[in-house]
Tab-separated table of all heavy atoms in Angstrom:
chain	number	residue	atom	x	y	z
A	1	PRO	N	17.382	-1.681	6.343
A	1	PRO	CA	16.678	-0.394	6.393
A	1	PRO	C	16.058	-0.039	5.063
A	1	PRO	O	16.667	-0.226	4.012
A	1	PRO	CB	17.780	0.592	6.797
A	1	PRO	CG	18.855	-0.250	7.408
A	1	PRO	CD	18.796	-1.572	6.720
A	2	HIS	N	14.818	0.456	5.103
A	2	HIS	CA	14.157	0.973	3.904
A	2	HIS	C	14.786	2.302	3.510
A	2	HIS	O	14.890	2.638	2.344
A	2	HIS	CB	12.663	1.131	4.184
A	2	HIS	CG	11.893	1.696	3.036
A	2	HIS	ND1	11.683	0.989	1.889
A	2	HIS	CD2	11.309	2.906	2.862
A	2	HIS	CE1	10.976	1.722	1.045
A	2	HIS	NE2	10.752	2.886	1.616
A	3	ASP	N	15.203	3.049	4.511
A	3	ASP	CA	15.793	4.357	4.295
A	3	ASP	C	17.223	4.306	4.794
A	3	ASP	O	17.471	4.047	5.981
A	3	ASP	CB	14.989	5.423	5.059
A	3	ASP	CG	15.515	6.826	4.813
A	3	ASP	OD1	16.593	6.979	4.213
A	3	ASP	OD2	14.807	7.765	5.230
A	4	THR	N	18.186	4.523	3.930
A	4	THR	CA	19.581	4.420	4.312
A	4	THR	C	19.991	5.492	5.295
A	4	THR	O	21.059	5.405	5.891
A	4	THR	CB	20.480	4.509	3.055
A	4	THR	OG1	20.203	5.753	2.387
A	4	THR	CG2	20.210	3.364	2.107
A	5	MET	N	19.159	6.516	5.510
A	5	MET	CA	19.477	7.583	6.447
A	5	MET	C	19.135	7.198	7.885
A	5	MET	O	19.442	7.909	8.817
A	5	MET	CB	18.726	8.864	6.069
A	5	MET	CG	19.105	9.403	4.691
A	5	MET	SD	20.861	9.776	4.535
A	5	MET	CE	20.978	11.186	5.652
A	6	THR	N	18.461	6.055	8.081
A	6	THR	CA	18.094	5.640	9.425
A	6	THR	C	18.579	4.227	9.671
A	6	THR	O	18.639	3.412	8.758
A	6	THR	CB	16.571	5.709	9.645
A	6	THR	OG1	16.285	5.234	10.956
A	6	THR	CG2	15.813	4.869	8.630
A	7	ALA	N	18.925	3.922	10.903
A	7	ALA	CA	19.418	2.594	11.243
A	7	ALA	C	18.273	1.642	11.534
A	7	ALA	O	18.494	0.454	11.697
A	7	ALA	CB	20.341	2.691	12.449
A	8	GLN	N	17.079	2.159	11.605
A	8	GLN	CA	15.926	1.346	11.968
A	8	GLN	C	15.304	0.724	10.729
A	8	GLN	O	15.000	1.427	9.766
A	8	GLN	CB	14.899	2.216	12.692
A	8	GLN	CG	14.014	1.449	13.628
A	8	GLN	CD	13.148	2.375	14.464
A	8	GLN	OE1	12.539	3.297	13.942
A	8	GLN	NE2	13.108	2.139	15.758
A	9	PRO	N	15.109	-0.602	10.707
A	9	PRO	CA	14.473	-1.229	9.538
A	9	PRO	C	13.050	-0.741	9.363
A	9	PRO	O	12.363	-0.437	10.337
A	9	PRO	CB	14.530	-2.722	9.859
A	9	PRO	CG	14.683	-2.803	11.329
A	9	PRO	CD	15.439	-1.581	11.758
A	10	ARG	N	12.623	-0.661	8.125
A	10	ARG	CA	11.284	-0.182	7.809
A	10	ARG	C	10.574	-1.208	6.948
A	10	ARG	O	11.192	-1.965	6.200
A	10	ARG	CB	11.359	1.161	7.053
A	10	ARG	CG	12.117	2.259	7.776
A	10	ARG	CD	11.392	2.688	9.042
A	10	ARG	NE	10.101	3.283	8.749
A	10	ARG	CZ	9.937	4.579	8.459
A	10	ARG	NH1	10.969	5.404	8.392
A	10	ARG	NH2	8.724	5.043	8.221
A	11	LEU	N	9.265	-1.206	7.029
A	11	LEU	CA	8.452	-2.094	6.217
A	11	LEU	C	8.523	-1.675	4.754
A	11	LEU	O	8.386	-0.498	4.432
A	11	LEU	CB	7.003	-2.038	6.701
A	11	LEU	CG	6.040	-3.051	6.115
A	11	LEU	CD1	6.371	-4.457	6.623
A	11	LEU	CD2	4.593	-2.694	6.484
A	12	ASP	N	8.744	-2.650	3.867
A	12	ASP	CA	8.775	-2.362	2.430
A	12	ASP	C	7.333	-2.382	1.915
A	12	ASP	O	6.840	-3.384	1.399
A	12	ASP	CB	9.634	-3.388	1.701
A	12	ASP	CG	9.891	-3.002	0.253
A	12	ASP	OD1	9.172	-2.120	-0.263
A	12	ASP	OD2	10.806	-3.570	-0.350
A	13	VAL	N	6.657	-1.255	2.060
A	13	VAL	CA	5.232	-1.175	1.750
A	13	VAL	C	4.982	-1.369	0.264
A	13	VAL	O	3.995	-2.006	-0.137
A	13	VAL	CB	4.655	0.170	2.233
A	13	VAL	CG1	3.175	0.271	1.897
A	13	VAL	CG2	4.863	0.325	3.733
A	14	GLU	N	5.857	-0.846	-0.572
A	14	GLU	CA	5.634	-0.976	-2.015
A	14	GLU	C	5.675	-2.433	-2.455
A	14	GLU	O	4.917	-2.841	-3.338
A	14	GLU	CB	6.653	-0.136	-2.781
A	14	GLU	CG	6.461	1.366	-2.611
A	14	GLU	CD	5.038	1.812	-2.960
A	14	GLU	OE1	4.498	1.344	-3.984
A	14	GLU	OE2	4.476	2.623	-2.202
A	15	ALA	N	6.568	-3.227	-1.852
A	15	ALA	CA	6.604	-4.652	-2.185
A	15	ALA	C	5.310	-5.331	-1.761
A	15	ALA	O	4.788	-6.198	-2.475
A	15	ALA	CB	7.806	-5.314	-1.512
A	16	LEU	N	4.782	-4.949	-0.619
A	16	LEU	CA	3.512	-5.519	-0.162
A	16	LEU	C	2.353	-5.092	-1.057
A	16	LEU	O	1.484	-5.903	-1.402
A	16	LEU	CB	3.240	-5.093	1.280
A	16	LEU	CG	4.144	-5.708	2.347
A	16	LEU	CD1	3.900	-5.046	3.693
A	16	LEU	CD2	3.906	-7.207	2.452
A	17	ARG	N	2.327	-3.826	-1.428
A	17	ARG	CA	1.239	-3.333	-2.270
A	17	ARG	C	1.196	-4.059	-3.609
A	17	ARG	O	0.121	-4.246	-4.186
A	17	ARG	CB	1.394	-1.822	-2.493
A	17	ARG	CG	1.076	-0.992	-1.261
A	17	ARG	CD	1.350	0.488	-1.511
A	17	ARG	NE	0.502	1.044	-2.560
A	17	ARG	CZ	-0.719	1.531	-2.357
A	17	ARG	NH1	-1.253	1.525	-1.149
A	17	ARG	NH2	-1.419	2.026	-3.362
A	18	ALA	N	2.338	-4.493	-4.087
A	18	ALA	CA	2.390	-5.218	-5.365
A	18	ALA	C	1.671	-6.561	-5.274
A	18	ALA	O	1.310	-7.141	-6.307
A	18	ALA	CB	3.843	-5.420	-5.790
A	19	ASP	N	1.463	-7.055	-4.052
A	19	ASP	CA	0.735	-8.309	-3.876
A	19	ASP	C	-0.776	-8.141	-4.037
A	19	ASP	O	-1.505	-9.142	-4.101
A	19	ASP	CB	1.000	-8.872	-2.476
A	19	ASP	CG	2.433	-9.347	-2.286
A	19	ASP	OD1	3.084	-9.663	-3.298
A	19	ASP	OD2	2.893	-9.395	-1.129
A	20	PHE	N	-1.262	-6.906	-4.055
A	20	PHE	CA	-2.696	-6.618	-4.048
A	20	PHE	C	-3.100	-5.932	-5.352
A	20	PHE	O	-2.948	-4.714	-5.496
A	20	PHE	CB	-3.040	-5.720	-2.854
A	20	PHE	CG	-2.885	-6.381	-1.516
A	20	PHE	CD1	-1.637	-6.536	-0.945
A	20	PHE	CD2	-4.000	-6.862	-0.835
A	20	PHE	CE1	-1.489	-7.156	0.287
A	20	PHE	CE2	-3.867	-7.477	0.392
A	20	PHE	CZ	-2.602	-7.629	0.952
A	21	PRO	N	-3.613	-6.691	-6.327
A	21	PRO	CA	-3.942	-6.102	-7.630
A	21	PRO	C	-4.904	-4.923	-7.533
A	21	PRO	O	-4.784	-3.957	-8.298
A	21	PRO	CB	-4.571	-7.273	-8.397
A	21	PRO	CG	-3.988	-8.490	-7.769
A	21	PRO	CD	-3.827	-8.154	-6.317
A	22	ALA	N	-5.868	-4.968	-6.622
A	22	ALA	CA	-6.875	-3.912	-6.549
A	22	ALA	C	-6.265	-2.556	-6.210
A	22	ALA	O	-6.830	-1.513	-6.562
A	22	ALA	CB	-7.938	-4.269	-5.516
A	23	LEU	N	-5.135	-2.548	-5.523
A	23	LEU	CA	-4.546	-1.277	-5.096
A	23	LEU	C	-3.942	-0.497	-6.256
A	23	LEU	O	-3.568	0.666	-6.089
A	23	LEU	CB	-3.496	-1.517	-4.009
A	23	LEU	CG	-4.034	-2.140	-2.712
A	23	LEU	CD1	-2.916	-2.284	-1.687
A	23	LEU	CD2	-5.189	-1.311	-2.144
A	24	ALA	N	-3.837	-1.125	-7.426
A	24	ALA	CA	-3.322	-0.424	-8.606
A	24	ALA	C	-4.414	0.323	-9.365
A	24	ALA	O	-4.137	1.011	-10.350
A	24	ALA	CB	-2.632	-1.416	-9.540
A	25	MET	N	-5.669	0.207	-8.903
A	25	MET	CA	-6.781	0.854	-9.600
A	25	MET	C	-6.703	2.373	-9.489
A	25	MET	O	-6.080	2.927	-8.588
A	25	MET	CB	-8.120	0.393	-9.021
A	25	MET	CG	-8.528	-0.989	-9.414
A	25	MET	SD	-10.280	-1.295	-8.978
A	25	MET	CE	-10.184	-1.323	-7.192
A	26	ARG	N	-7.408	3.009	-10.436
A	26	ARG	CA	-7.651	4.451	-10.363
A	26	ARG	C	-9.161	4.654	-10.211
A	26	ARG	O	-9.954	3.992	-10.877
A	26	ARG	CB	-7.121	5.181	-11.601
A	26	ARG	CG	-5.614	5.051	-11.775
A	26	ARG	CD	-5.122	5.816	-12.992
A	26	ARG	NE	-5.146	7.258	-12.782
A	26	ARG	CZ	-4.162	7.959	-12.195
A	26	ARG	NH1	-3.080	7.329	-11.747
A	26	ARG	NH2	-4.243	9.256	-12.057
A	27	ILE	N	-9.544	5.554	-9.326
A	27	ILE	CA	-10.944	5.865	-9.076
A	27	ILE	C	-11.163	7.345	-9.372
A	27	ILE	O	-10.460	8.200	-8.833
A	27	ILE	CB	-11.328	5.564	-7.613
A	27	ILE	CG1	-11.085	4.082	-7.286
A	27	ILE	CG2	-12.779	5.944	-7.347
A	27	ILE	CD1	-11.936	3.113	-8.061
A	28	ASN	N	-12.115	7.631	-10.270
A	28	ASN	CA	-12.360	9.019	-10.689
A	28	ASN	C	-11.080	9.683	-11.191
A	28	ASN	O	-10.827	10.866	-10.951
A	28	ASN	CB	-12.952	9.826	-9.530
A	28	ASN	CG	-14.325	9.319	-9.118
A	28	ASN	OD1	-15.160	9.012	-9.972
A	28	ASN	ND2	-14.552	9.201	-7.816
A	29	GLY	N	-10.279	8.878	-11.883
A	29	GLY	CA	-9.049	9.392	-12.471
A	29	GLY	C	-7.893	9.560	-11.500
A	29	GLY	O	-6.822	10.005	-11.894
A	30	LYS	N	-8.104	9.177	-10.231
A	30	LYS	CA	-7.063	9.336	-9.207
A	30	LYS	C	-6.610	7.954	-8.731
A	30	LYS	O	-7.389	7.009	-8.721
A	30	LYS	CB	-7.603	10.124	-8.011
A	30	LYS	CG	-8.259	11.454	-8.350
A	30	LYS	CD	-7.251	12.469	-8.823
A	30	LYS	CE	-7.802	13.886	-8.781
A	30	LYS	NZ	-9.173	14.040	-9.285
A	31	PRO	N	-5.350	7.840	-8.302
A	31	PRO	CA	-4.911	6.562	-7.727
A	31	PRO	C	-5.750	6.218	-6.493
A	31	PRO	O	-6.026	7.084	-5.664
A	31	PRO	CB	-3.454	6.829	-7.328
A	31	PRO	CG	-3.032	8.005	-8.138
A	31	PRO	CD	-4.263	8.844	-8.341
A	32	LEU	N	-6.185	4.979	-6.409
A	32	LEU	CA	-6.986	4.557	-5.274
A	32	LEU	C	-6.163	4.613	-3.989
A	32	LEU	O	-5.074	4.039	-3.913
A	32	LEU	CB	-7.488	3.131	-5.487
A	32	LEU	CG	-8.153	2.457	-4.278
A	32	LEU	CD1	-9.439	3.189	-3.887
A	32	LEU	CD2	-8.429	0.984	-4.573
A	33	ALA	N	-6.703	5.293	-2.987
A	33	ALA	CA	-6.183	5.219	-1.621
A	33	ALA	C	-7.244	4.496	-0.809
A	33	ALA	O	-8.269	5.080	-0.458
A	33	ALA	CB	-5.905	6.608	-1.061
A	34	TYR	N	-7.016	3.219	-0.537
A	34	TYR	CA	-8.050	2.396	0.097
A	34	TYR	C	-7.914	2.517	1.610
A	34	TYR	O	-6.994	1.954	2.222
A	34	TYR	CB	-7.935	0.948	-0.353
A	34	TYR	CG	-9.114	0.127	0.112
A	34	TYR	CD1	-10.347	0.238	-0.534
A	34	TYR	CD2	-9.020	-0.721	1.209
A	34	TYR	CE1	-11.453	-0.480	-0.106
A	34	TYR	CE2	-10.118	-1.447	1.640
A	34	TYR	CZ	-11.329	-1.323	0.984
A	34	TYR	OH	-12.420	-2.034	1.413
A	35	LEU	N	-8.846	3.250	2.213
A	35	LEU	CA	-8.846	3.513	3.655
A	35	LEU	C	-10.148	3.026	4.284
A	35	LEU	O	-10.689	3.648	5.191
A	35	LEU	CB	-8.656	5.014	3.906
A	35	LEU	CG	-7.322	5.598	3.421
A	35	LEU	CD1	-7.353	7.123	3.435
A	35	LEU	CD2	-6.177	5.086	4.285
A	36	ASP	N	-10.622	1.875	3.800
A	36	ASP	CA	-11.859	1.276	4.314
A	36	ASP	C	-11.608	-0.166	4.732
A	36	ASP	O	-12.466	-1.036	4.592
A	36	ASP	CB	-12.956	1.350	3.253
A	36	ASP	CG	-14.349	1.087	3.823
A	36	ASP	OD1	-14.532	1.254	5.045
A	36	ASP	OD2	-15.236	0.715	3.048
A	37	ASN	N	-10.425	-0.433	5.269
A	37	ASN	CA	-10.042	-1.794	5.635
A	37	ASN	C	-10.850	-2.337	6.810
A	37	ASN	O	-10.987	-3.550	6.959
A	37	ASN	CB	-8.547	-1.837	5.960
A	37	ASN	CG	-7.696	-1.571	4.739
A	37	ASN	OD1	-7.500	-2.437	3.904
A	37	ASN	ND2	-7.185	-0.344	4.618
A	38	GLY	N	-11.380	-1.449	7.659
A	38	GLY	CA	-12.192	-1.903	8.770
A	38	GLY	C	-13.504	-2.507	8.320
A	38	GLY	O	-14.126	-3.296	9.047
A	39	SER	N	-13.948	-2.142	7.118
A	39	SER	CA	-15.176	-2.699	6.557
A	39	SER	C	-14.885	-4.009	5.843
A	39	SER	O	-15.517	-5.034	6.095
A	39	SER	CB	-15.819	-1.707	5.592
A	39	SER	OG	-16.965	-2.256	5.008
A	40	THR	N	-13.931	-3.972	4.929
A	40	THR	CA	-13.425	-5.191	4.301
A	40	THR	C	-12.067	-4.875	3.711
A	40	THR	O	-11.797	-3.733	3.323
A	40	THR	CB	-14.386	-5.723	3.210
A	40	THR	OG1	-14.077	-7.090	2.920
A	40	THR	CG2	-14.307	-4.923	1.930
A	41	THR	N	-11.218	-5.877	3.648
A	41	THR	CA	-9.865	-5.691	3.134
A	41	THR	C	-9.778	-6.156	1.684
A	41	THR	O	-10.557	-6.997	1.237
A	41	THR	CB	-8.864	-6.502	3.964
A	41	THR	OG1	-9.342	-7.851	4.072
A	41	THR	CG2	-8.693	-5.908	5.358
A	42	GLN	N	-8.805	-5.611	0.964
A	42	GLN	CA	-8.498	-6.127	-0.363
A	42	GLN	C	-7.741	-7.451	-0.231
A	42	GLN	O	-7.271	-7.810	0.852
A	42	GLN	CB	-7.687	-5.100	-1.153
A	42	GLN	CG	-8.422	-3.775	-1.381
A	42	GLN	CD	-9.725	-3.948	-2.154
A	42	GLN	OE1	-9.855	-4.850	-2.984
A	42	GLN	NE2	-10.694	-3.086	-1.872
A	43	LYS	N	-7.626	-8.189	-1.342
A	43	LYS	CA	-7.108	-9.554	-1.271
A	43	LYS	C	-5.778	-9.681	-2.013
A	43	LYS	O	-5.655	-9.225	-3.157
A	43	LYS	CB	-8.095	-10.548	-1.883
A	43	LYS	CG	-9.559	-10.278	-1.532
A	43	LYS	CD	-9.838	-10.173	-0.046
A	43	LYS	CE	-11.275	-9.767	0.220
A	43	LYS	NZ	-11.517	-9.377	1.625
A	44	PRO	N	-4.789	-10.326	-1.393
A	44	PRO	CA	-3.512	-10.535	-2.080
A	44	PRO	C	-3.615	-11.642	-3.134
A	44	PRO	O	-4.544	-12.461	-3.119
A	44	PRO	CB	-2.563	-10.932	-0.953
A	44	PRO	CG	-3.451	-11.575	0.061
A	44	PRO	CD	-4.765	-10.847	-0.019
């Protein structure tokens, strides 16, 4: 489980995000939230 309060296993999203260097960028001084995956995806 990602959350010890639930018995259901959860995806470790932070571990996955670490595989994608582009997701660590800041855009206009803000952390990038990349919500354009339908157009093209970032690369691990």
Side-chain angles (χ1 to χ4, degrees):
H2 178 70
D3 183 350
T4 58
M5 298 301 292
T6 177
Q8 206 172 47
R10 304 294 296 274
L11 189 69
D12 190 344
V13 179
E14 292 306 316
L16 290 172
R17 288 176 63 86
D19 292 336
F20 292 78
L23 298 182
M25 285 192 291
R26 298 181 73 85
I27 301 296
N28 295 317
K30 308 290 197 316
L32 170 64
Y34 189 76
L35 297 168
D36 195 22
N37 293 282
S39 177
T40 198
T41 50
Q42 299 300 330
K43 319 306 174 192

